[in-house]
Amino acid sequence: ATRLYDKANAESSALRQQLQSLIEVQSRSERRLTSSGRRLNHSKLSRLSNSNLRVFKKTTLHQTVDTAVHVLLDLSGSMEMQKSIALRSALALKLALDKIPKCNSALTTFPCQVDTRHASQSVLMYGEKLNMNTLRRFSELEASGGTPLAEALWDVSMAMHSVREKRKILIVITDGKPNDVEKS
């Protein structure tokens, strides 16, 4: 478990820089009045009679991070050969996202290995950080079963609906072999 963590941690630093530029959002957070510009604030035109020229609206754009990112990891039977790479990739993504301020991330795997009634299982909830307990739980995951991608996407969309962030991103790590391809 610690070897997997060390490899993923080394890969996460370079990944974090690239991810931060992807998840930044432009927000118009500051509005003020200026003495020049293109958009008049009609309700402030009376200021001109007092020689106050600040009658133009100006909006400043700021780059902020207000994003929820959900990583969905395929651990179906077809991923057995790529399981170590997939686990390391998912862990590196989670580590990189945890280091970005105001980024809320979660990790879910499918198919569910604990409860057969659900298509996916949450490994790390939103806001949950990696520690030795979660890392051990993560390293014990096995690849088996079918590929219920549609059902897992439904589960993740319900989880993403409950977070307060304005922007939501889903990253799916899979080999692209759905259930109907494996049966033939």
Side-chain angles (χ1 to χ4, degrees):
T2 56
R3 197 176 103 202
L4 176 67
Y5 177 81
D6 292 338
K7 284 183 178 182
N9 197 24
E11 295 167 351
S12 72
S13 61
L15 186 61
R16 180 179 51 87
Q17 294 170 351
Q18 294 174 354
L19 281 172
Q20 184 149 5
S21 64
L22 289 174
I23 64 174
E24 282 183 343
V25 179
Q26 280 190 352
S27 65
R28 299 176 182 177
S29 59
E30 187 178 324
R31 291 191 175 128
R32 58 190 172 101
L33 294 173
T34 62
S35 58
S36 63
R38 292 184 169 192
R39 300 191 72 205
L40 273 174
N41 187 342
H42 298 288
S43 65
K44 303 295 181 185
L45 286 177
S46 62
R47 291 179 173 207
L48 292 173
S49 64
N50 296 331
S51 300
N52 186 347
L53 301 177
R54 292 183 305 145
V55 293
F56 294 95
K57 297 179 197 176
K58 190 148 202 162
T59 304
T60 306
L61 296 176
H62 294 284
Q63 294 280 45
T64 60
V65 175
D66 186 22
T67 306
V69 181
H70 206 115
V71 179
L72 181 61
L73 176 61
D74 180 359
L75 286 180
S76 61
S78 62
M79 290 289 288
E80 183 63 41
M81 300 301 286
Q82 301 97 341
K83 182 185 108 173
S84 64
I85 293 171
L87 286 173
R88 196 170 74 224
S89 300
L91 188 59
L93 266 171
K94 177 68 176 149
L95 286 168
L97 292 167
D98 283 348
K99 292 178 184 173
I100 299 173
K102 294 187 179 180
C103 179
N104 194 4
S105 63
L107 175 67
T108 300
T109 62
F110 71 95
C112 184
Q113 299 168 355
V114 178
D115 185 2
T116 56
R117 293 176 292 160
H118 298 287
S120 63
Q121 71 182 33
S122 181
V123 179
L124 294 166
M125 304 288 281
Y126 284 105
E128 187 177 3
K129 302 291 183 195
L130 279 167
N131 55 38
M132 291 310 289
N133 187 26
T134 56
L135 186 62
R136 185 174 13 90
R137 185 175 19 148
F138 186 77
S139 65
E140 292 171 354
L141 294 171
E142 294 295 325
S144 65
T147 311
L149 180 59
E151 294 86 351
L153 287 171
W154 179 259
D155 293 344
V156 168
S157 69
M158 296 303 289
M160 291 181 88
H161 184 69
S162 67
V163 295
R164 62 174 171 73
E165 284 77 13
K166 292 180 183 175
R167 188 169 184 200
K168 297 168 174 84
I169 298 174
L170 172 63
I171 300 173
V172 181
I173 300 174
T174 183
D175 60 355
K177 294 182 182 175
N179 276 340
D180 57 352
V181 174
E182 289 178 13
K183 291 178 183 176
S184 54

